[in-house]
Amino acid sequence: MGELSAANHPAVAVKDDLRSVMRNFATGVCVVSTFSDAESIRRHNALTINSLTSLSLSPPLVSLSIRRDSTFLDDLMESQVWAISILDGAAEDLARIFARPAEDRRKALHSLPAEPGPQTGALLLDSAAWMECRYRSHLVAGDHLLIVGEVVGAGVNDAGSSLIFLHGKFHRIESIGG
């Protein structure tokens, strides 16, 4: 491969250009859940994300990136805890449900099987793997907030495939190892 230079490849400066570039980067798909305790009533909330990143094993830290104007983010910052359900290849419907507007997501939480995580109380969905996290820190990153959490509980369920997002679509990838 030849050398790249800034003169031959101008910086990506337009939002649409960056979106086009990032469509070529495959990511896993998760549902993150949290809650708000308004007026002594627990109100759960959940959101599909593909911005989960492992940051550190010691201490166990992960990050997620959420739009700063999100009502989900408001709930997460209030509770300071969340659960992450890493979706398997058969969970495209779940991913789509929790990518909808907030009111649709809340209604879906009442009809789907889910249970509060033992460490945080945030809902865990049936999924390939899961984590429970407590707030550690955050960083303002443009129109998003990068939130760092300490993993306080985790587990893996048997899954024959994984759900990924690539080129603006969901894809099912079969397990390749044993």
Side-chain angles (χ1 to χ4, degrees):
M1 291 178 57
E3 290 186 34
L4 299 177
S5 73
N8 293 335
H9 300 281
V12 175
V14 179
K15 178 173 66 173
D16 291 338
D17 289 343
L18 180 57
R19 182 171 289 156
S20 294
V21 167
M22 294 308 296
R23 288 171 58 93
N24 290 282
F25 183 67
T27 62
V29 183
C30 312
V31 172
V32 61
S33 64
T34 193
F35 55 82
S36 171
D37 284 331
E39 301 173 12
S40 301
I41 298 172
R42 179 153 291 177
R43 182 178 49 95
H44 289 277
N45 199 346
L47 181 69
T48 299
I49 65 165
N50 65 346
S51 62
L52 176 66
T53 304
S54 174
L55 297 177
S56 169
L57 294 177
S58 184
L61 301 175
V62 297
S63 71
L64 29 116
S65 177
I66 299 175
R67 266 192 5 253
R68 289 172 50 196
D69 63 355
S70 166
T71 57
F72 178 86
L73 179 62
D74 295 340
D75 290 347
L76 186 147
M77 294 304 282
E78 176 188 318
S79 71
Q80 304 275 296
V81 296
W82 61 94
I84 300 166
S85 300
I86 298 173
L87 301 182
D88 64 32
E92 182 177 338
D93 288 345
L94 277 180
R96 290 187 184 285
I97 287 169
F98 292 107
R100 293 180 183 155
E103 192 55 38
D104 292 346
R105 298 189 321 256
R106 283 192 186 99
K107 286 178 187 174
L109 281 173
H110 294 293
S111 64
L112 292 171
E115 60 184 60
Q119 302 300 318
T120 63
L123 293 178
L124 293 166
L125 304 173
D126 185 25
S127 59
W130 57 271
M131 289 181 267
E132 291 184 85
C133 301
R134 292 194 189 282
Y135 174 86
R136 179 84 174 245
S137 64
H138 71 272
L139 170 70
V140 174
D143 60 357
H144 279 62
L145 201 66
L146 181 71
I147 304 141
V148 176
E150 182 168 359
V151 178
V152 295
V156 176
N157 298 315
D158 289 331
S161 63
S162 298
L163 187 64
I164 66 165
F165 194 70
L166 177 66
H167 298 297
K169 297 178 183 174
F170 293 106
H171 301 273
R172 180 181 176 150
I173 303 295
E174 296 303 319
S175 293
I176 54 176

